[in-house]
Amino acid sequence: MKVPDLTLSRFYKDQVSLNEYSLDQINRHNLKKGKKRSPLYYEEITTDILDVFKDQKFSMICLGTRNNWERDCFRRFTSNDQIFSLDISPTSHADFVGDFNKLDLEPKVDVLFSNAIDHSIDPNKTYLNWLCQLKKNGILIVDFSLHEEAGDENQADCSTFSEESIGNFLKHLVENKHIKENVVKKHTHGYLRTMVTK
């Protein structure tokens, strides 16, 4: 059975110039590299993570972080120094510099978090790849920015999503046992938050 499209619409539908994509994302990074969300945003996510891991130590990578503010907030709220950042821009000062569309982590991690999946070339492939980077019982937290209609995608914000497209995609993953049943969805800080267990 075909996996439903996670997106409402995508900018990249055919051939993708990875060099052009990388330059677009790095330019976008340079425009927004100083942006910092409220610590309360990260504190809410931390609560969800700690509900799963209780007092256990866990490893985590924040994907598409733009700067280390996100990582630093999570480290502060969890007292855990095994939380790292990844961004495509060499000037991000992230712990890892690379393209999150094609992660290949070794060792696997307990938690992946991103609110930048709208910057993905192909969110279906990217999301499934992220799941593969998790340890068994690991959690993937993705915050989606929602759009009411297609047409907002561009070279920097490559994809748009609707609550329906996300719901159909996650339902398929549960039914086909890619993820466990406990899918959490809620609107917070302008995002639709999803948290799934591998």
Side-chain angles (χ1 to χ4, degrees):
M1 178 193 248
K2 186 175 185 285
V3 181
D5 200 337
L6 177 55
T7 62
L8 182 61
S9 60
R10 287 192 290 135
F11 177 81
Y12 293 107
K13 296 176 180 70
D14 300 311
Q15 284 292 93
V16 177
S17 163
L18 292 179
N19 187 46
E20 183 180 345
Y21 167 81
S22 296
L23 289 174
D24 285 338
Q25 295 307 311
I26 290 168
N27 287 337
R28 178 64 168 226
H29 167 271
N30 289 335
L31 290 173
K32 298 180 111 182
K33 63 185 173 188
K35 184 175 180 180
K36 295 179 179 178
R37 288 182 175 81
S38 164
L40 294 175
Y41 171 72
Y42 301 107
E43 191 171 25
E44 282 181 13
I45 299 165
T46 300
T47 300
D48 291 338
I49 294 169
L50 295 179
D51 282 347
V52 173
F53 289 98
K54 311 295 183 211
D55 295 325
Q56 305 169 49
K57 278 288 186 186
F58 58 89
S59 56
M60 176 176 172
I61 299 180
C62 306
L63 303 171
T65 60
R66 195 179 293 122
N67 55 50
N68 286 319
W69 170 249
E70 197 166 90
R71 178 205 67 193
D72 294 344
C73 286
F74 284 125
R75 282 184 176 181
R76 182 168 32 128
F77 292 132
T78 61
S79 300
N80 182 354
D81 62 359
Q82 292 304 300
I83 299 174
F84 303 99
S85 57
L86 180 144
D87 196 88
I88 198 169
S89 175
T91 62
S92 65
H93 304 292
D95 297 305
F96 304 104
V97 174
D99 183 350
F100 71 18
N101 290 282
K102 47 188 180 182
L103 280 186
D104 187 15
L105 301 177
E106 201 53 54
K108 305 300 183 199
V109 295
D110 297 301
V111 183
L112 285 174
F113 166 75
S114 185
N115 56 26
I117 196 166
D118 55 324
H119 294 267
S120 171
I121 293 169
D122 182 339
N124 275 45
K125 286 183 183 175
T126 299
Y127 192 100
L128 293 172
N129 172 258
W130 291 353
L131 282 175
C132 291
Q133 309 310 312
L134 292 171
K135 296 177 185 175
K136 185 179 179 186
N137 297 316
I139 58 174
L140 173 58
I141 302 171
V142 179
D143 277 7
F144 291 91
S145 181
L146 298 178
H147 296 266
E148 296 301 317
E149 56 187 50
D152 290 338
E153 74 285 348
N154 57 60
Q155 284 175 280
D157 296 319
C158 313
S159 304
T160 64
F161 308 91
S162 69
E163 198 159 346
E164 182 180 9
S165 68
I166 297 163
N168 290 338
F169 178 79
L170 293 178
K171 181 180 176 195
H172 175 86
L173 295 189
V174 170
E175 289 170 352
N176 289 275
K177 303 191 183 331
H178 293 288
I179 58 177
K180 295 185 179 177
E181 189 80 37
N182 53 344
V183 176
V184 176
K185 295 194 298 183
K186 58 187 175 182
H187 289 278
T188 179
H189 297 272
Y191 290 101
L192 179 71
R193 175 157 308 141
T194 63
M195 185 172 94
V196 302
T197 306
K198 182 175 178 181

